[in-house]
Amino acid sequence: MDEVFLNLFRKKMVEEVGWDSRKPGYDGLVEVANRLMLKSPTNSHTKEAAVRILRSLFPPMLLQLYKLLIAPIQGGKVAAIMVARVTAITCEWLMGPCTVNSVDLPDGTSWNSGVFVEKCKYLEQSKCVGICVNTCKLPTQAFMKDYMGVPLVMEPNFSDYSCQFKFGIVPPVPEDDATLKEPCLDICPNATQRREFAGNINVQQCPKA
């Protein structure tokens, strides 16, 4: 099933980008994601394209029914817990080992609507803050809220490549989101190229974040 999910996701991404990598498997998927980010004129265009890819993976009626019938139950608790469990079960091919955990809500209660990714394969392979933020974090948060009715915060850790999903929690505004202020990773291939062209300047913030 991992191979099926990988091939489907890559196929949808290639259709959006209009280009495919010669590399097979996961390495090729990451190259296509990088092309998606680099070819987009703005970060917003990248995010919108990634949202379209996510939407294309689901039957439209399924998303509409989930948002209409499931999302409102118990103030969103049922939908958030369901999505967390499905994410942990079906997305290990993309992110690596992950487990459902408890998250604290602003009102002081807690739900088992979190997913902790031990070491995100997507971030580890891409080595890029911009790819993480613009093709994964921001579009996934937008997709979950706009098309499934479930707010989501994703908190990637760029030091150990872990990531915490918090379904049921509204994300901060961009100005308050520390992830968007992250510097480029030292091993980022795109940052290396920029430093070479710009005379090895110190990149304080990822321009794609």
PDB file of all heavy atoms in Angstrom, residues 2 20 22 27 38 49 55 84 95 99 106 114 120 123 146 154 168 174-175 184 206 208:
ATOM      1  N   ASP A   2       2.033   1.187   0.636  1.00  0.00           N
ATOM      2  CA  ASP A   2       2.925   2.350   0.623  1.00  0.00           C
ATOM      3  C   ASP A   2       3.286   2.736  -0.805  1.00  0.00           C
ATOM      4  O   ASP A   2       3.324   3.916  -1.166  1.00  0.00           O
ATOM      5  CB  ASP A   2       4.197   2.054   1.418  1.00  0.00           C
ATOM      6  CG  ASP A   2       3.950   2.032   2.921  1.00  0.00           C
ATOM      7  OD1 ASP A   2       2.824   2.385   3.335  1.00  0.00           O
ATOM      8  OD2 ASP A   2       4.876   1.674   3.665  1.00  0.00           O
ATOM      9  N   ASP A  20       8.309  15.676 -14.618  1.00  0.00           N
ATOM     10  CA  ASP A  20       8.608  14.543 -13.755  1.00  0.00           C
ATOM     11  C   ASP A  20      10.106  14.318 -13.695  1.00  0.00           C
ATOM     12  O   ASP A  20      10.845  14.599 -14.652  1.00  0.00           O
ATOM     13  CB  ASP A  20       7.920  13.273 -14.268  1.00  0.00           C
ATOM     14  CG  ASP A  20       7.853  12.169 -13.212  1.00  0.00           C
ATOM     15  OD1 ASP A  20       8.288  12.416 -12.071  1.00  0.00           O
ATOM     16  OD2 ASP A  20       7.369  11.069 -13.528  1.00  0.00           O
ATOM     17  N   ARG A  22      13.525  11.981 -13.413  1.00  0.00           N
ATOM     18  CA  ARG A  22      13.969  10.685 -13.929  1.00  0.00           C
ATOM     19  C   ARG A  22      14.260   9.700 -12.799  1.00  0.00           C
ATOM     20  O   ARG A  22      14.387   8.508 -13.036  1.00  0.00           O
ATOM     21  CB  ARG A  22      15.228  10.863 -14.792  1.00  0.00           C
ATOM     22  CG  ARG A  22      15.001  11.652 -16.082  1.00  0.00           C
ATOM     23  CD  ARG A  22      16.269  11.716 -16.905  1.00  0.00           C
ATOM     24  NE  ARG A  22      16.055  12.424 -18.163  1.00  0.00           N
ATOM     25  CZ  ARG A  22      17.001  12.608 -19.074  1.00  0.00           C
ATOM     26  NH1 ARG A  22      18.232  12.148 -18.852  1.00  0.00           N
ATOM     27  NH2 ARG A  22      16.729  13.264 -20.198  1.00  0.00           N
ATOM     28  N   ASP A  27      12.882   9.502  -4.036  1.00  0.00           N
ATOM     29  CA  ASP A  27      13.830  10.523  -4.471  1.00  0.00           C
ATOM     30  C   ASP A  27      13.242  11.368  -5.600  1.00  0.00           C
ATOM     31  O   ASP A  27      13.413  12.589  -5.643  1.00  0.00           O
ATOM     32  CB  ASP A  27      15.139   9.883  -4.926  1.00  0.00           C
ATOM     33  CG  ASP A  27      15.938   9.294  -3.780  1.00  0.00           C
ATOM     34  OD1 ASP A  27      15.675   9.681  -2.618  1.00  0.00           O
ATOM     35  OD2 ASP A  27      16.817   8.447  -4.022  1.00  0.00           O
ATOM     36  N   LEU A  38      10.233  25.837  -6.826  1.00  0.00           N
ATOM     37  CA  LEU A  38      11.113  26.757  -7.549  1.00  0.00           C
ATOM     38  C   LEU A  38      10.430  27.391  -8.760  1.00  0.00           C
ATOM     39  O   LEU A  38      10.767  28.512  -9.150  1.00  0.00           O
ATOM     40  CB  LEU A  38      12.379  26.018  -7.992  1.00  0.00           C
ATOM     41  CG  LEU A  38      13.303  25.536  -6.864  1.00  0.00           C
ATOM     42  CD1 LEU A  38      14.505  24.809  -7.438  1.00  0.00           C
ATOM     43  CD2 LEU A  38      13.758  26.708  -5.987  1.00  0.00           C
ATOM     44  N   ALA A  49      -1.006  25.537  -5.187  1.00  0.00           N
ATOM     45  CA  ALA A  49      -0.803  24.354  -6.022  1.00  0.00           C
ATOM     46  C   ALA A  49      -0.808  23.086  -5.174  1.00  0.00           C
ATOM     47  O   ALA A  49      -1.387  22.067  -5.553  1.00  0.00           O
ATOM     48  CB  ALA A  49       0.514  24.479  -6.797  1.00  0.00           C
ATOM     49  N   ARG A  55      -6.393  18.111  -2.692  1.00  0.00           N
ATOM     50  CA  ARG A  55      -7.817  17.961  -3.039  1.00  0.00           C
ATOM     51  C   ARG A  55      -8.021  16.868  -4.077  1.00  0.00           C
ATOM     52  O   ARG A  55      -9.013  16.123  -4.025  1.00  0.00           O
ATOM     53  CB  ARG A  55      -8.366  19.280  -3.581  1.00  0.00           C
ATOM     54  CG  ARG A  55      -8.556  20.379  -2.542  1.00  0.00           C
ATOM     55  CD  ARG A  55      -9.106  21.636  -3.199  1.00  0.00           C
ATOM     56  NE  ARG A  55     -10.410  21.396  -3.806  1.00  0.00           N
ATOM     57  CZ  ARG A  55     -11.006  22.247  -4.655  1.00  0.00           C
ATOM     58  NH1 ARG A  55     -10.382  23.363  -5.009  1.00  0.00           N
ATOM     59  NH2 ARG A  55     -12.188  21.973  -5.140  1.00  0.00           N
ATOM     60  N   ALA A  84      -6.605  12.372  12.972  1.00  0.00           N
ATOM     61  CA  ALA A  84      -5.305  12.032  13.564  1.00  0.00           C
ATOM     62  C   ALA A  84      -4.997  10.554  13.395  1.00  0.00           C
ATOM     63  O   ALA A  84      -3.884  10.166  13.008  1.00  0.00           O
ATOM     64  CB  ALA A  84      -5.279  12.425  15.036  1.00  0.00           C
ATOM     65  N   MET A  95       6.029  10.257   5.733  1.00  0.00           N
ATOM     66  CA  MET A  95       6.691  10.951   6.840  1.00  0.00           C
ATOM     67  C   MET A  95       7.606  10.064   7.664  1.00  0.00           C
ATOM     68  O   MET A  95       8.462  10.570   8.391  1.00  0.00           O
ATOM     69  CB  MET A  95       5.644  11.576   7.759  1.00  0.00           C
ATOM     70  CG  MET A  95       4.683  12.501   7.044  1.00  0.00           C
ATOM     71  SD  MET A  95       3.473  13.291   8.145  1.00  0.00           S
ATOM     72  CE  MET A  95       2.565  11.867   8.767  1.00  0.00           C
ATOM     73  N   THR A  99       3.091   8.412  15.671  1.00  0.00           N
ATOM     74  CA  THR A  99       2.156   7.886  16.661  1.00  0.00           C
ATOM     75  C   THR A  99       1.126   8.954  17.031  1.00  0.00           C
ATOM     76  O   THR A  99       1.416  10.156  16.985  1.00  0.00           O
ATOM     77  CB  THR A  99       2.880   7.448  17.946  1.00  0.00           C
ATOM     78  OG1 THR A  99       3.661   8.553  18.439  1.00  0.00           O
ATOM     79  CG2 THR A  99       3.807   6.269  17.672  1.00  0.00           C
ATOM     80  N   PRO A 106      -6.613  25.275  23.878  1.00  0.00           N
ATOM     81  CA  PRO A 106      -6.584  26.572  24.573  1.00  0.00           C
ATOM     82  C   PRO A 106      -7.503  26.647  25.782  1.00  0.00           C
ATOM     83  O   PRO A 106      -7.254  27.424  26.710  1.00  0.00           O
ATOM     84  CB  PRO A 106      -7.028  27.564  23.482  1.00  0.00           C
ATOM     85  CG  PRO A 106      -6.640  26.914  22.202  1.00  0.00           C
ATOM     86  CD  PRO A 106      -6.858  25.441  22.435  1.00  0.00           C
ATOM     87  N   GLY A 114      -3.469  14.439  18.280  1.00  0.00           N
ATOM     88  CA  GLY A 114      -2.143  14.806  17.802  1.00  0.00           C
ATOM     89  C   GLY A 114      -1.477  13.645  17.091  1.00  0.00           C
ATOM     90  O   GLY A 114      -1.831  12.482  17.313  1.00  0.00           O
ATOM     91  N   CYS A 120      10.757  13.206  10.237  1.00  0.00           N
ATOM     92  CA  CYS A 120      10.022  13.328   8.990  1.00  0.00           C
ATOM     93  C   CYS A 120      10.908  12.998   7.784  1.00  0.00           C
ATOM     94  O   CYS A 120      11.899  13.687   7.523  1.00  0.00           O
ATOM     95  CB  CYS A 120       9.444  14.730   8.842  1.00  0.00           C
ATOM     96  SG  CYS A 120       8.511  14.936   7.303  1.00  0.00           S
ATOM     97  N   LEU A 123      11.079  15.946   5.138  1.00  0.00           N
ATOM     98  CA  LEU A 123      12.006  17.015   5.485  1.00  0.00           C
ATOM     99  C   LEU A 123      13.451  16.534   5.396  1.00  0.00           C
ATOM    100  O   LEU A 123      14.332  17.242   4.895  1.00  0.00           O
ATOM    101  CB  LEU A 123      11.707  17.538   6.891  1.00  0.00           C
ATOM    102  CG  LEU A 123      12.650  18.603   7.458  1.00  0.00           C
ATOM    103  CD1 LEU A 123      12.739  19.805   6.530  1.00  0.00           C
ATOM    104  CD2 LEU A 123      12.212  19.022   8.852  1.00  0.00           C
ATOM    105  N   ASP A 146     -10.105  24.316   5.326  1.00  0.00           N
ATOM    106  CA  ASP A 146     -11.036  24.788   4.300  1.00  0.00           C
ATOM    107  C   ASP A 146     -11.885  23.679   3.693  1.00  0.00           C
ATOM    108  O   ASP A 146     -13.037  23.922   3.307  1.00  0.00           O
ATOM    109  CB  ASP A 146     -10.256  25.494   3.179  1.00  0.00           C
ATOM    110  CG  ASP A 146      -9.565  26.755   3.671  1.00  0.00           C
ATOM    111  OD1 ASP A 146      -9.947  27.275   4.727  1.00  0.00           O
ATOM    112  OD2 ASP A 146      -8.617  27.211   2.987  1.00  0.00           O
ATOM    113  N   MET A 154       0.755  22.506  12.445  1.00  0.00           N
ATOM    114  CA  MET A 154       1.893  21.613  12.262  1.00  0.00           C
ATOM    115  C   MET A 154       3.148  22.324  12.755  1.00  0.00           C
ATOM    116  O   MET A 154       3.405  23.470  12.383  1.00  0.00           O
ATOM    117  CB  MET A 154       2.043  21.220  10.790  1.00  0.00           C
ATOM    118  CG  MET A 154       0.911  20.348  10.281  1.00  0.00           C
ATOM    119  SD  MET A 154       0.939  20.076   8.489  1.00  0.00           S
ATOM    120  CE  MET A 154       2.501  19.210   8.290  1.00  0.00           C
ATOM    121  N   GLY A 168      -7.405  20.119  15.492  1.00  0.00           N
ATOM    122  CA  GLY A 168      -8.368  20.731  16.396  1.00  0.00           C
ATOM    123  C   GLY A 168      -7.904  22.052  16.965  1.00  0.00           C
ATOM    124  O   GLY A 168      -8.633  22.695  17.728  1.00  0.00           O
ATOM    125  N   PRO A 174       0.443  34.280  10.451  1.00  0.00           N
ATOM    126  CA  PRO A 174       1.821  34.184   9.936  1.00  0.00           C
ATOM    127  C   PRO A 174       2.841  34.994  10.725  1.00  0.00           C
ATOM    128  O   PRO A 174       3.981  34.554  10.921  1.00  0.00           O
ATOM    129  CB  PRO A 174       1.685  34.692   8.498  1.00  0.00           C
ATOM    130  CG  PRO A 174       0.271  34.348   8.119  1.00  0.00           C
ATOM    131  CD  PRO A 174      -0.530  34.545   9.371  1.00  0.00           C
ATOM    132  N   GLU A 175       2.422  36.163  11.198  1.00  0.00           N
ATOM    133  CA  GLU A 175       3.359  37.017  11.932  1.00  0.00           C
ATOM    134  C   GLU A 175       3.836  36.372  13.224  1.00  0.00           C
ATOM    135  O   GLU A 175       4.925  36.687  13.724  1.00  0.00           O
ATOM    136  CB  GLU A 175       2.719  38.373  12.248  1.00  0.00           C
ATOM    137  CG  GLU A 175       2.417  39.233  11.029  1.00  0.00           C
ATOM    138  CD  GLU A 175       1.165  38.773  10.279  1.00  0.00           C
ATOM    139  OE1 GLU A 175       0.416  37.949  10.842  1.00  0.00           O
ATOM    140  OE2 GLU A 175       0.961  39.238   9.140  1.00  0.00           O
ATOM    141  N   CYS A 184      17.667  29.103   6.620  1.00  0.00           N
ATOM    142  CA  CYS A 184      17.904  27.948   5.757  1.00  0.00           C
ATOM    143  C   CYS A 184      18.740  26.912   6.504  1.00  0.00           C
ATOM    144  O   CYS A 184      19.605  27.255   7.316  1.00  0.00           O
ATOM    145  CB  CYS A 184      18.656  28.377   4.498  1.00  0.00           C
ATOM    146  SG  CYS A 184      17.648  29.284   3.309  1.00  0.00           S
ATOM    147  N   CYS A 206      15.099  31.673   5.550  1.00  0.00           N
ATOM    148  CA  CYS A 206      14.812  31.010   4.276  1.00  0.00           C
ATOM    149  C   CYS A 206      13.891  31.898   3.455  1.00  0.00           C
ATOM    150  O   CYS A 206      12.797  32.240   3.899  1.00  0.00           O
ATOM    151  CB  CYS A 206      14.152  29.643   4.526  1.00  0.00           C
ATOM    152  SG  CYS A 206      13.665  28.812   2.986  1.00  0.00           S
ATOM    153  N   LYS A 208      12.145  31.202   1.029  1.00  0.00           N
ATOM    154  CA  LYS A 208      10.960  30.473   0.598  1.00  0.00           C
ATOM    155  C   LYS A 208      10.030  30.143   1.759  1.00  0.00           C
ATOM    156  O   LYS A 208       9.010  29.485   1.569  1.00  0.00           O
ATOM    157  CB  LYS A 208      11.378  29.181  -0.123  1.00  0.00           C
ATOM    158  CG  LYS A 208      11.929  29.415  -1.514  1.00  0.00           C
ATOM    159  CD  LYS A 208      10.841  29.926  -2.454  1.00  0.00           C
ATOM    160  CE  LYS A 208      11.337  30.116  -3.866  1.00  0.00           C
ATOM    161  NZ  LYS A 208      10.243  30.565  -4.768  1.00  0.00           N
TER     162      LYS A 208
END
